[in-house]
Amino acid sequence: MKELYVFVLIIAPLWCAAQQKDTLIKKEDSLKVTRVSGQVTDAVSGQLLPFISIGFTGSSYETMSDGQGKFVLSAPGSFSSITISYIGYQIVTKTIKPGQLTGLQIRLQRSQTQLKEVMITSGKSKRYRNKGNPAVELIQQVINHKDQNRMESADYLQYDQYERLALSLFHLSPKLLNSHFFSKYKFMLDTAQIINGQAQTSLPVYFSEKRYQYYYRKNPIKSVQVLNAQKEINIIKFVDTVGLDTYLNRLYGNNIDIYNNNIFILTNQFLSPVANHAPDFYKFFITDTVQSGKEKLVEISFTPRNKGDLLFEGKLMVTMDGHYAVESCELNVNKQININFMRSLKVRQDFKKYPDGRYYLTKSDVKTDFGILKDKGIGLFGERAVFYEHYKLNTPLPALFYEGKSSQTAINSNQADSGYWQKHRPDTLTSRQVKVYADFNRLENMPSFKRATWIASTITGGYADLGAVQAGPFDATYSFNSVEGSRFRIGGRTTPLFNKSIYLEGYSAYGIKDQQLKYYFGGSFSFNQKPYYQFPNDYLKVSYQYDMDIPGQNFLIEKEQSILLSIRRGTSDFWLYNKIFRIDYIKDFENHFSYNVEFKNWNQRPAGALNYQVNNQANSPVLSLTTTELDLGLKYAPNEHIMQGTMYRHTIESKYPIFSLQINHAFSGLLNGSYSYTNVSANIFKRFYLSQLGYTDITLQGGVLLGQVPFPLLNIIPANQTYLYDPNAYNMMNFLEFVSDHYVGLNLTHSFDGFFLNKIPLVDHLKLREFFSLKILYGGLRNENNPRYTTNLYKFPASLNGSSGTYSLGSTPYIEAGVGIGNIFKLIRIDVIRRFNYLDHPGTTPYGLRFSFSPDF
């Protein structure tokens, strides 16, 4: 699932809901708490001071001033004073009346600034250089001391973590907000949310809170994270909540560590300003020297050398106590950066000194503003605030504790009440955030919103939910090919409302040209009462299918024939009618190891221009071929995170590898099985992040078939004869062009993320991105499986009417490579691909153009 798709999902139900009628009901509950409001200004200049920290003295309740310097701080209990602090200003403590509302005007005095260490010169500007630059020398000290300043430098570490994530739509059309249709939903609006320093009218769409306990052991390294409580609400119920939460946390930087060389945020890899090679990509300047109490801090500002690269700009406050630690940091991005849909990104982190002399992270705040249009139109504002407290250093737990799972969830973590959250929140929610849970519950019970959600779910998910049954998927309703002509299909499946353990699905399809009815029926029994398309799987499935497909394609029940895949290049008239009976047992484990045991009886009958003919003297035709197999599939995807769709699961790409192994064994004579053989294949996928040079996806694959079989049972190399780019197939190869009984292959795709194009004048503003792909396949065919050397096998299909025919891979590996330009109109990628060999095969060309739709940040 792509990021633009998620953005549309968030907007869709609210837009539909706005078309319904009702009356405005607005009622705000008052809380009996100590509440302070006011405004913070500079005592000398009178300038309004945003993002100033205000907290009840001696407590964990705090807030920040908005873009106008205004703030509201409230919390249950009696507090007699507040503390106001910010880097560069003196700390102020004000007395207040406990349990009452107090209004204050606060004027902050600047801290003592050591101007003698700042040199100001006039004349011509000098060229920036790293050599002799005191800012670079200081940053190098920060880099040299990174390891000792990390939290994980302690042998044992514990802390509590509170996380809050909120998404809101803003810049909504005044015509919509003031319309009669929207009147019934106005109770959802927040008219005072601060976005980019200004008060905006916004519409909350997602809000979640979580409370964790984190444990770390250095040697042997092990981390354990326990989720103690969670509470969330979201309008887009038709999207997998767990997957969406995982995706959003990664989008907003799940664990931002300023000391890492690279920081993952917005699904991209940003180079940290204190990375080992940061001085090669950033410009650094000393902009202030501050004395805060007994601590001397130096403010270092930084900016990218190239504005389009994935780099931050902002400032660091560095301690001068010999530790050269980061006391706070502000990370922003400029408008020229090569990221789509993002209007602004602001990251703020604060650290606190602990008795061991290290500075430990106390708060991390990420704020983003997304929009389809750059400077106007509806936007999506998101904020992820994480608070860290109650640190314990070098306090080990029993060794047995660290042998447990790395990610754990406490019993009844979803049952924490409002009293729990009031007690365990380290800061205070705004009055609007306090009401958001009740407002969401009210919205979800409105019939008009339920209808809107149903429409959005049908459009985006492909299935129309009718309660116990869903109709669909609709993208497979119509397609066409050379054998069936126009093909029409209808289908559906049951839901947990029908039965939480038994799931049924099926479809029927009809081809106008071949006038044959195709069909499929499957029934699953879920041992964990989850639908078969949701993680984790634990089900037994029995199915029968009569349909047609292309040789060498995966005969997956979930595979659909969409209209885009119906448009093919060259001549493609090799088809099969398949009758497949399957019994599958699929089991997923929480560590993302899974296995699939399958019994399959498969009868295939050639169609179109494809014929099965024995290479004996009589050239005997073969009407159909039947095999009976017992298959075992193994997969291990450590640390995998997934987005759950309505039909498929989508792995969220990360640095962790994915291992797959498939073993198929066929039995001759069992249920009319004609051959006995064993086929073993393996696959390893890994993404490598290369900092500013982008990332590389590498797939290693190989397989071997043991036994004597005709060509339909050999390894048919996956080809692609459509104009859509397929990363898992050979895009310049024709269907059924190559077969083998042993092979090894390498697929490589590298994305430079605009590293070169960002530096070309007049091109950089287009925010294009470069791709390079390389696919190499080496294989062969033993004489016993080659009809040129062994009789009583099937003849290879000949090249007819422009088709390539079928061949075995020879001593020369098949090679194709391509270069591509992506992010065209933020949506399209175009690849030019060259095929380097086997060009003497009919129907082949050395060059081809492929395209794909890949909206991405």
Side-chain angles (χ1 to χ4, degrees):
M1 179 172 291
K2 296 295 183 180
E3 290 77 5
L4 178 61
Y5 179 65
V6 174
F7 183 79
V8 172
L9 292 184
I10 293 173
I11 296 176
L14 265 298
W15 182 264
C16 296
Q19 312 308 311
Q20 311 298 328
K21 302 180 179 180
D22 205 346
T23 58
L24 174 63
I25 301 174
K26 184 175 182 181
K27 180 178 180 181
E28 184 171 352
D29 299 327
S30 61
L31 300 176
K32 294 181 180 180
V33 296
T34 301
R35 182 175 297 174
V36 184
S37 64
Q39 192 172 39
V40 187
T41 59
D42 186 288
V44 176
S45 66
Q47 180 182 1
L48 301 175
L49 298 179
F51 312 120
I52 302 298
S53 176
I54 304 103
F56 289 120
T57 306
S59 78
S60 59
Y61 295 106
E62 64 176 21
T63 187
M64 297 181 70
S65 61
D66 61 24
Q68 304 300 315
K70 297 180 180 180
F71 68 91
V72 175
L73 174 64
S74 62
S78 297
F79 301 95
S80 58
S81 64
I82 62 170
T83 300
I84 305 97
S85 62
Y86 189 67
I87 296 174
Y89 288 88
Q90 297 178 9
I91 298 175
V92 173
T93 300
K94 291 283 187 179
T95 302
I96 60 173
K97 295 180 180 181
Q100 298 185 20
L101 175 63
T102 306
L104 298 173
Q105 290 293 326
I106 301 170
R107 296 175 176 84
L108 296 185
Q109 297 280 352
R110 286 188 174 271
S111 303
Q112 179 182 359
T113 302
Q114 317 227 344
L115 295 177
K116 293 181 180 180
E117 299 188 17
V118 179
M119 182 176 295
I120 303 176
T121 61
S122 61
K124 294 183 178 180
S125 60
K126 295 183 179 180
R127 181 181 178 183
Y128 177 87
R129 295 180 182 275
N130 282 344
K131 186 177 182 180
N133 186 339
V136 175
E137 294 174 358
L138 182 54
I139 281 294
Q140 192 58 54
Q141 289 287 359
V142 176
I143 295 172
N144 295 340
H145 288 77
K146 284 196 303 182
D147 289 340
Q148 70 183 55
N149 286 321
R150 294 178 187 274
M151 292 192 296
E152 289 80 5
S153 61
D155 292 331
Y156 292 89
L157 175 67
Q158 300 177 34
Y159 59 82
D160 293 343
Q161 176 180 322
Y162 166 81
E163 169 193 305
R164 184 171 64 243
L165 180 60
L167 299 177
S168 299
L169 295 173
F170 71 106
H171 279 168
L172 299 169
S173 168
K175 185 176 180 181
L176 170 65
L177 295 179
N178 297 322
S179 68
H180 177 69
F181 298 116
F182 195 75
S183 61
K184 69 191 303 182
Y185 301 107
K186 282 190 175 181
F187 69 91
M188 288 292 300
L189 294 177
D190 183 351
T191 58
Q193 186 174 7
I194 303 302
I195 299 177
N196 297 330
Q198 297 181 350
Q200 300 274 2
T201 297
S202 63
L203 182 64
V205 295
Y206 181 87
F207 191 83
S208 73
E209 295 180 280
K210 292 184 178 181
R211 183 85 182 181
Y212 294 96
Q213 285 181 307
Y214 180 86
Y215 305 87
Y216 171 79
R217 181 183 65 189
K218 186 176 182 180
N219 188 24
I221 187 170
K222 179 65 181 287
S223 61
V224 179
Q225 182 175 265
V226 181
L227 176 61
N228 289 321
Q230 58 183 336
K231 190 176 185 178
E232 68 178 1
I233 45 179
N234 73 90
I235 289 178
I236 46 178
K237 287 292 187 180
F238 46 88
V239 177
D240 168 43
T241 300
V242 176
L244 178 64
D245 181 75
T246 300
Y247 180 81
L248 290 175
N249 273 280
R250 180 166 180 181
L251 189 67
Y252 285 88
N254 195 17
N255 291 296
I256 296 178
D257 185 351
I258 190 66
Y259 292 116
N260 279 342
N261 285 331
N262 296 287
I263 297 173
F264 287 90
I265 192 169
L266 300 178
T267 72
N268 290 283
Q269 187 184 57
F270 286 74
L271 187 72
S272 170
V274 295
N276 294 341
H277 51 293
D280 297 330
F281 294 90
Y282 285 101
K283 296 180 180 180
F284 294 96
F285 309 90
I286 294 179
T287 50
D288 204 354
T289 308
V290 176
Q291 190 75 34
S292 179
K294 296 182 180 180
E295 298 293 338
K296 180 181 178 181
L297 305 172
V298 173
E299 180 184 87
I300 300 179
S301 297
F302 54 89
T303 185
R305 291 177 180 264
N306 185 281
K307 299 293 185 181
D309 289 344
L310 294 179
L311 301 167
F312 296 108
E313 60 183 18
K315 60 183 180 181
L316 305 169
M317 298 300 295
V318 179
T319 67
M320 300 301 293
D321 57 357
H323 287 80
Y324 298 99
V326 176
E327 195 267 351
S328 68
C329 65
E330 294 181 12
L331 310 175
N332 307 311
V333 296
N334 64 83
K335 292 187 177 181
Q336 300 178 41
I337 196 168
N338 193 342
I339 294 181
N340 296 326
F341 316 118
M342 187 188 67
R343 296 167 175 169
S344 67
L345 167 66
K346 300 180 183 299
V347 180
R348 166 82 189 203
Q349 290 193 315
D350 295 297
F351 299 76
K352 179 181 177 181
K353 190 174 183 179
Y354 270 69
D356 65 348
R358 298 185 182 91
Y359 283 76
Y360 288 80
L361 183 63
T362 58
K363 183 179 180 181
S364 178
D365 188 75
V366 181
K367 298 178 180 179
T368 58
D369 172 7
F370 298 108
I372 299 296
L373 301 179
K374 184 176 181 180
D375 298 315
K376 59 182 180 180
I378 189 171
L380 178 67
F381 178 77
E383 179 177 11
R384 181 176 184 264
V386 184
F387 295 82
Y388 305 84
E389 57 185 359
H390 304 148
Y391 281 98
K392 292 183 180 180
L393 307 179
N394 296 320
T395 307
L397 296 174
L400 185 62
F401 172 81
Y402 298 98
E403 301 301 321
K405 298 178 182 179
S406 296
S407 180
Q408 303 178 22
T409 301
I411 300 176
N412 299 326
S413 62
N414 289 307
Q415 299 182 12
D417 57 17
S418 58
Y420 172 91
W421 290 107
Q422 287 184 1
K423 181 179 179 180
H424 290 88
R425 287 190 189 106
D427 72 336
T428 306
L429 297 183
T430 66
S431 59
R432 187 63 190 82
Q433 289 174 331
V434 171
K435 290 177 76 269
V436 72
Y437 290 110
D439 288 344
F440 267 65
N441 291 334
R442 175 183 171 186
L443 178 69
E444 289 181 329
N445 290 323
M446 297 175 67
S448 58
F449 181 74
K450 291 180 180 180
R451 290 193 296 270
T453 302
W454 184 89
I455 294 172
S457 177
T458 301
I459 294 174
T460 58
Y463 281 91
D465 194 345
L466 305 176
V469 176
Q470 291 179 335
F474 295 110
D475 62 347
T477 301
Y478 175 77
S479 60
F480 61 89
N481 58 68
S482 60
V483 176
E484 294 179 288
S486 292
R487 170 189 169 105
F488 299 91
R489 181 184 132 163
I490 58 173
R493 65 185 183 186
T494 63
T495 71
L497 294 179
F498 173 80
N499 190 289
K500 291 185 177 181
S501 296
I502 299 175
Y503 294 89
L504 307 176
E505 60 174 335
Y507 70 79
S508 60
Y510 186 78
I512 300 299
K513 185 177 179 180
D514 69 349
Q515 298 183 350
Q516 289 201 37
L517 180 68
K518 293 87 178 176
Y519 51 87
Y520 163 76
F521 177 79
S524 304
F525 181 85
S526 174
F527 295 96
N528 59 357
Q529 295 191 331
K530 283 183 175 290
Y532 60 89
Y533 47 85
Q534 287 187 2
F535 182 88
N537 290 152
D538 187 7
Y539 67 85
L540 180 69
K541 184 174 185 177
V542 180
S543 63
Y544 185 81
Q545 180 187 38
Y546 173 60
D547 208 338
M548 65 184 316
D549 212 327
I550 300 171
Q553 305 303 297
N554 293 324
F555 301 116
L556 299 177
I557 301 304
E558 297 85 355
K559 185 177 181 295
E560 312 298 345
Q561 299 188 43
S562 69
I563 191 169
L564 285 178
L565 298 178
S566 299
I567 304 174
R568 297 188 172 95
R569 60 177 178 83
T571 300
S572 174
D573 197 25
F574 291 155
W575 289 89
L576 292 174
Y577 285 104
N578 300 292
K579 294 180 179 179
I580 305 176
F581 172 76
R582 293 169 54 168
I583 301 176
D584 294 88
Y585 176 68
I586 298 177
K587 173 70 174 180
D588 291 333
F589 295 89
E590 291 185 3
N591 64 352
H592 290 267
F593 171 79
S594 62
Y595 67 86
N596 174 23
V597 179
E598 176 185 87
F599 175 82
K600 179 173 70 175
N601 181 261
W602 172 24
N603 174 269
Q604 52 178 297
R605 178 165 56 92
L610 183 62
N611 292 297
Y612 290 170
Q613 193 175 44
V614 179
N615 64 336
N616 54 22
Q617 293 183 351
N619 292 325
S620 305
V622 179
L623 298 180
S624 65
L625 172 63
T626 301
T627 55
T628 301
E629 290 184 353
L630 182 63
D631 306 334
L632 173 65
L634 304 175
K635 179 183 176 182
Y636 180 48
N639 299 293
E640 180 187 32
H641 294 291
I642 59 176
M643 282 289 289
Q644 179 65 63
T646 56
M647 292 181 286
Y648 309 110
R649 299 189 320 215
H650 305 270
T651 298
I652 301 174
E653 289 85 357
S654 68
K655 63 181 180 180
Y656 299 102
I658 299 176
F659 305 91
S660 300
L661 176 66
Q662 184 71 33
I663 303 173
N664 301 347
H665 181 75
F667 300 88
S668 176
L670 179 61
L671 297 179
N672 297 319
S674 301
Y675 292 90
S676 177
Y677 58 87
T678 300
N679 198 351
V680 181
S681 61
N683 181 295
I684 302 174
F685 170 83
K686 177 76 167 68
R687 170 167 288 189
F688 296 89
Y689 290 96
L690 304 177
S691 190
Q692 293 301 290
L693 290 176
Y695 61 86
T696 302
D697 290 335
I698 293 180
T699 301
L700 296 175
Q701 56 187 337
V704 59
L705 185 145
L706 304 176
Q708 187 180 67
V709 295
F711 81 86
L713 302 180
L714 295 172
N715 293 308
I716 301 176
I717 308 304
N720 178 24
Q721 266 187 263
T722 73
Y723 290 98
L724 293 175
Y725 181 83
D726 187 345
N728 300 314
Y730 297 90
N731 290 277
M732 294 299 294
M733 188 183 293
N734 294 323
F735 292 134
L736 199 54
E737 183 177 355
F738 288 101
V739 294
S740 69
D741 57 18
H742 59 277
Y743 67 93
V744 291
L746 166 69
N747 291 355
L748 180 151
T749 300
H750 183 81
S751 172
F752 289 97
D753 278 337
F755 182 80
F756 299 106
L757 295 176
N758 289 340
K759 299 173 177 58
I760 302 177
L762 303 181
V763 176
D764 54 350
H765 73 282
L766 297 176
K767 297 184 178 181
L768 301 176
R769 298 168 187 173
E770 322 88 335
F771 294 87
F772 170 76
S773 62
L774 173 67
K775 297 183 179 182
I776 303 175
L777 182 70
Y778 175 80
L781 192 63
R782 303 189 304 273
N783 289 343
E784 64 178 304
N785 289 318
N786 194 330
R788 295 181 179 179
Y789 302 97
T790 304
T791 58
N792 295 319
L793 295 174
Y794 295 1
K795 290 183 177 180
F796 284 161
S799 57
L800 297 172
N801 302 321
S803 64
S804 64
T806 300
Y807 307 86
S808 62
L809 281 171
S811 58
T812 302
Y814 174 89
I815 301 175
E816 68 177 39
V819 292
I821 299 295
N823 209 38
I824 302 172
F825 306 119
K826 302 180 182 180
L827 179 66
I828 300 172
R829 169 181 162 182
I830 298 177
D831 287 80
V832 178
I833 303 176
R834 181 183 177 186
R835 173 171 168 162
F836 287 90
N837 43 26
Y838 297 101
L839 296 173
D840 56 333
H841 293 180
T844 60
T845 58
Y847 291 96
L849 196 66
R850 305 289 179 268
F851 69 94
S852 57
F853 300 98
S854 55
D856 199 353
F857 281 113

